[in-house]
């Protein structure tokens, strides 16, 4: 069994902030990065469409246990809306379904529409080309077969939707939003409000949760590092340089408070046991730190009666 695991890849833990290129699926990028690292286990934390670029956090090893926190995190995007053309997928990869004349654009009117319809908590109908599932099937697979199903609206939060550029038939927007927000739906709805239709021409994700655009590394840069001619430190040196790009697992959990455990408490938690806390708990969800070593153990939930229950623990040994 040990030899089999070695053949499947090496064990490493951490998070890589990849700047996804256009023209490839998120899973396609993930598989390339996994091969470059020779990793046994990896997953991305929020897919981007092939057309989209930007922030794609990739979790390795134990970090995959905490991917949901990044999936649930707020995001920030830059998008270019092409006016006058509607597509079946609401983006540039789709088939054109309607063209209209673009009216003279008035900045004041656009700002008013953004403020009225795309600010705060809104109700949004996801695109049929989204990854949401209907009876176990992703909607985009049904859409490609020409199958239409009723998609229920969902509530999302737009923290800001700023107009950053205005041209004759294009609008650029800077959008910060909650999880589950579909930028293509915002663009589609804005185009309908303007009376000419629109689709997403470009989309770039800048931020995801605690991670910012300036922290990203491109796939090309990563491939260059992985194919450098080994120097005195050889192949291990290349692996070390790649591994140095990884952020710790705890970087995805910055907003969660910590609780330090003594030795006895640590042992009980590692055995999956509940733990009664004598003092007021800092929050419903906490990071667990081993007091003797300072090692991150995982996360736990705390009930109203101050009973700590492990939720996700790192593998030990």
């Amino acid at each position: 069994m040990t030899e089999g695991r070695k053949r499947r890849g090496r064990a490493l833990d951490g998070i890589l902030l990849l700047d996804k290129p256009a023209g490839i699926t998120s899973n396609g990028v993930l598989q390339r990065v996994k091969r470059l690292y020779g990793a046994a286990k990896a997953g991305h934390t929020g897919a981007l469409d092939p057309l989209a670029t930007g922030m794609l956090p990739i979790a390795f090893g134990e970090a995959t246990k905490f991917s949901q926190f990044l999936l649930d995190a707020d995001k920030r995007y830059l998008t270019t809306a092409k006016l006058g053309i509607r597509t079946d997928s609401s983006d540039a990869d789709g088939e054109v379904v309607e063209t209209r004349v673009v009216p003279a654009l008035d900045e004041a009117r656009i700002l008013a529409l953004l403020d009225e319809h795309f600010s705060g908590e809104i109700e949004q109908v996801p695109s049929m080309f989204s990854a949401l599932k209907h009876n176990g099937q992703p909607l985009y697979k049904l859409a490609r077969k020409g199958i239409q199903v009723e998609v229920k609206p969902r509530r999302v939060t737009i923290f800001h939707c700023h107009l950053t550029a205005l041209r004759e038939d294009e609008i650029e927007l800077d959008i910060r939003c909650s999880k589950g927000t579909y930028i293509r739906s915002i663009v589609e709805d804005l185009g309908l409000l303007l009376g000419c239709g629109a689709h997403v021409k470009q989309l770039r994700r800048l931020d995801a949760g605690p991670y910012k655009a300036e922290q990203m590394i491109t796939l090309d840069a990563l491939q260059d590092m992985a194919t450098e001619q080994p120097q005195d430190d050889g192949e291990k040196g290349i692996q070390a340089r790649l591994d140095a790009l990884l952020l710790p697992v705890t970087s995805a959990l910055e907003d969660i408070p910590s609780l330090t455990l003594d030795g006895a408490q640590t042992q009980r938690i590692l055995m999956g046991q509940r733990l009664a806390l004598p003092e007021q708990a800092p929050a419903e969800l906490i990071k667990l730190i081993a007091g003797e070593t300072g090692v991150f153990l995982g996360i736990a939930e705390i009930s109203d009666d101050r009973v700590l229950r492990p939720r996700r623990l790192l593998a030990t040994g």
Side-chain angles (χ1 to χ4, degrees):
M1 181 64 72
T2 301
E3 289 300 316
R5 286 176 179 171
K6 286 182 179 179
R7 285 195 295 271
R8 287 199 296 268
R10 62 192 183 105
L12 71 160
D13 306 317
I15 297 173
L16 177 74
L17 303 183
L18 186 74
D19 186 347
K20 176 193 167 298
I24 185 172
T25 66
S26 293
N27 186 62
V29 171
L30 168 65
Q31 297 308 319
R32 288 191 191 182
V33 173
K34 186 178 178 182
R35 287 194 295 271
L36 289 175
Y37 272 87
K41 184 177 183 180
H44 64 69
T45 61
L48 288 169
D49 294 331
L51 170 141
T53 66
M55 179 69 74
L56 184 68
I58 294 179
F60 292 96
E62 292 294 280
T64 59
K65 293 181 177 179
F66 306 94
S67 297
Q68 190 62 45
F69 292 94
L70 293 176
L71 289 169
D72 292 343
D74 300 336
K75 312 292 193 306
R76 180 179 167 222
Y77 299 88
L78 290 180
T79 188
T80 299
K82 180 73 171 180
L83 303 178
I85 301 173
R86 292 181 59 236
T87 70
D88 57 2
S89 63
S90 301
D91 65 21
D93 286 340
E95 298 292 329
V96 174
V97 296
E98 183 182 25
T99 60
R100 293 186 184 181
V101 175
V102 179
L105 300 178
D106 179 73
E107 182 174 342
R109 184 187 176 210
I110 293 173
L111 292 175
L113 289 174
L114 295 178
D115 183 63
E116 180 180 356
H117 297 278
F118 307 103
S119 178
E121 191 174 272
I122 67 170
E123 199 166 74
Q124 185 183 71
V125 178
S127 167
M128 268 297 297
F129 281 80
S130 71
L132 289 177
K133 292 186 177 181
H134 176 78
N135 294 333
Q137 282 285 319
L139 291 180
Y140 68 84
K141 289 188 177 181
L142 297 177
R144 289 169 183 167
K145 296 177 182 178
I147 301 172
Q148 293 290 320
V149 299
E150 182 182 0
V151 183
K152 294 182 179 179
R154 58 199 298 177
R155 299 200 72 79
V156 298
T157 301
I158 310 298
F159 301 106
H160 74 233
C161 186
H162 297 157
L163 177 66
T164 58
L166 178 61
R167 294 181 284 275
E168 288 186 357
D169 62 351
E170 291 183 353
I171 294 174
E172 291 184 4
L173 301 172
D174 180 328
I175 303 170
R176 181 170 171 265
C177 53
S178 67
K179 70 169 184 176
T181 303
Y182 287 93
I183 304 302
R184 70 175 75 195
S185 294
I186 292 177
V187 169
E188 172 86 3
D189 291 345
L190 178 60
L192 294 175
L193 289 169
L194 290 170
C196 59
H199 69 269
V200 172
K201 178 181 178 181
Q202 293 180 321
L203 179 64
R204 180 166 178 77
R205 185 157 67 196
L206 296 179
D207 304 340
Y211 303 132
K212 305 302 178 185
E214 56 269 19
Q215 298 175 274
M216 294 188 289
I217 184 170
T218 66
L219 182 60
D220 285 345
L222 198 67
Q223 290 173 328
D224 287 345
M225 290 182 65
T227 55
E228 287 178 357
Q229 291 297 320
Q231 300 174 2
D232 294 339
D233 50 3
E235 190 65 29
K236 289 184 178 180
I238 292 177
Q239 287 186 349
R241 288 193 291 274
L242 289 175
D243 293 354
L245 298 172
L246 302 184
L247 299 176
V249 177
T250 52
S251 65
L253 309 170
E254 287 186 354
D255 294 336
I256 300 176
S258 299
L259 179 67
T260 300
L261 305 178
D262 62 28
Q265 291 172 324
T266 298
Q267 289 303 312
R268 290 192 61 183
I269 287 298
L270 292 179
M271 289 188 292
Q273 298 177 359
R274 298 180 182 182
L275 185 66
L277 300 176
E279 300 178 357
Q280 182 65 38
E284 294 181 0
L285 190 68
I286 56 172
K287 297 193 294 272
L288 301 177
I289 307 297
E292 295 179 350
T293 61
V295 171
F296 170 63
L297 302 173
I299 59 172
E301 296 173 324
I302 300 177
S303 63
D304 292 338
D305 55 356
R306 298 195 301 279
V307 175
L308 185 151
R309 297 175 175 83
R311 178 170 164 183
R312 292 282 189 277
L313 297 179
L314 297 183
T316 58

